């Protein structure tokens, strides 16, 4: 499995954009990059995933570097509800049902 | 839809006792998973199932057994509980393995 490096914590202000980085330099060519988040005292929640191209959905955008060794999750306007631990998870495309969660990045959103 | 539900929400066991955790989903998903999360850590996959009647080992399967007799249910059993199994247990389900939906968790304490 690819190893990931994420900041332990980040802070943002409400209604400002947030860029959450992830390094995955050992990622293989078939690994998708998944992002999940976990709000306090809840189970994780799917955010977004992608392979090579940048991806957008109603929750966030995912920017993937051209060499795929890093990616950035972008929350366009942070809200208090976005305060959570964010996990970046490379997972093999053929068996991407086996997710390995690291420690993630704790995002604090200030009012 | 209730989504993914877990029973019970809390449980305290003595060392050596047995118990079964029940996960149910009403989304007709093929894939189901059991994870554990220790304090300050990410989730680790215990066992998973890719369809009714199938199960497979994840990252930390020792001390646990599972069964998937019905598509909507995935049971996690502890035959002889140990203090090292004190954790929060999360169940998840997915249609295709990509987007996993998580339950609210079961907090288990083994004394």
């Amino acid at each position: 499995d690819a190893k990931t490096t994420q900041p332990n914590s980040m802070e943002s202000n409400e209604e400002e954009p947030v860029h959450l980085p992830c390094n995955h330099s050992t990622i293989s060519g078939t690994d998708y990059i998944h992002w999940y988040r976990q709000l306090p005292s809840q189970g994780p929640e799917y955010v977004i995933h992608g392979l090579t191209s940048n991806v957008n959905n109603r929750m966030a955008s995912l920017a993937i570097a051209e060499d795929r060794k890093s990616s950035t999750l972008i929350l366009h306007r942070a809200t208090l509800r976005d305060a959570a631990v964010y996990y970046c998870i490379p997972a093999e495309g053929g068996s991407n049902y086996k997710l390995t969660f690291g420690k993630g990045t704790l995002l604090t959103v200030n009012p | 839809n209730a989504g993914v539900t877990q029973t019970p929400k809390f449980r305290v066991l003595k060392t050596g006792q047995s118990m079964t955790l029940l996960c149910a989903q009403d989304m007709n998903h093929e894939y189901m998973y059991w994870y554990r999360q220790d304090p300050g850590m990410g989730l680790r996959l215990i066992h998973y199932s890719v369809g009714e009647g199938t199960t497979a080992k994840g990252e930390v399967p020792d001390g646990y057994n599972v069964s998937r007799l019905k598509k909507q249910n995935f049971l996690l059993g502890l035959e002889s509980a140990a203090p090292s199994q004190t954790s929060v247990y999360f169940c998840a389900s997915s249609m295709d393995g990509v987007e996993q939906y998580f339950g609210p968790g079961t907090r288990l304490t083994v004394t």
Side-chain angles (χ1 to χ4, degrees):
Chain A
D1 290 344
K3 300 297 182 186
T4 60
T5 302
Q6 297 181 254
N8 289 332
S9 61
M10 292 183 64
E11 276 195 45
S12 175
N13 295 320
E14 203 173 7
E15 299 190 5
E16 290 184 356
V18 181
H19 291 235
L20 294 159
C22 180
N23 287 324
H24 31 75
S25 57
T26 61
I27 195 169
S28 77
T30 57
D31 282 355
Y32 282 75
I33 301 155
H34 302 249
W35 283 81
Y36 280 75
R37 71 181 186 182
Q38 187 172 21
L39 278 64
S41 300
Q42 294 189 26
E45 174 186 33
Y46 168 84
V47 177
I48 200 166
H49 79 285
L51 184 62
T52 55
S53 305
N54 294 345
V55 184
N56 301 293
N57 66 19
R58 64 176 178 81
M59 288 182 68
S61 295
L62 176 59
I64 301 171
E66 195 169 336
D67 63 7
R68 295 197 351 109
K69 293 184 177 182
S70 65
S71 61
T72 302
L73 180 71
I74 303 166
L75 306 179
H76 295 286
R77 289 179 72 244
T79 69
L80 296 178
R81 195 196 173 277
D82 291 322
V85 177
Y86 286 78
Y87 298 99
C88 165
I89 308 169
E92 186 178 339
S95 61
N96 58 15
Y97 39 79
K98 288 191 285 185
L99 302 178
T100 300
F101 288 76
K103 293 187 178 180
T105 296
L106 174 62
L107 175 66
T108 301
V109 180
N110 301 312
Chain B
N1 289 347
V4 179
T5 58
Q6 293 184 230
T7 309
K9 288 183 171 51
F10 303 93
R11 185 72 187 269
V12 178
L13 287 180
K14 294 188 187 304
T15 297
Q17 287 184 320
S18 64
M19 77 164 295
T20 300
L21 281 67
L22 170 63
C23 176
Q25 52 95 4
D26 61 0
M27 297 173 282
N28 201 34
H29 284 169
E30 292 293 334
Y31 298 99
M32 296 188 75
Y33 319 80
W34 276 107
Y35 294 88
R36 61 176 286 175
Q37 184 173 32
D38 299 325
M41 305 293 289
L43 281 73
R44 291 183 292 170
L45 182 64
I46 304 171
H47 286 279
Y48 64 99
S49 167
V50 300
E52 181 179 320
T54 74
T55 63
K57 294 180 180 180
E59 181 186 356
V60 289
D62 293 343
Y64 305 95
N65 56 74
V66 289
S67 64
R68 183 101 181 267
L69 298 179
K70 293 183 179 181
K71 186 176 184 179
Q72 63 268 34
N73 295 337
F74 195 29
L75 278 63
L76 178 72
L78 287 72
E79 290 187 349
S80 180
S84 61
Q85 294 177 305
T86 293
S87 190
V88 180
Y89 291 84
F90 289 102
C91 175
S93 73
S94 175
M95 177 60 70
D96 55 7
V98 175
E99 182 174 347
Q100 297 187 17
Y101 293 81
F102 284 80
T106 294
R107 187 174 298 275
L108 175 66
T109 301
V110 182
T111 62

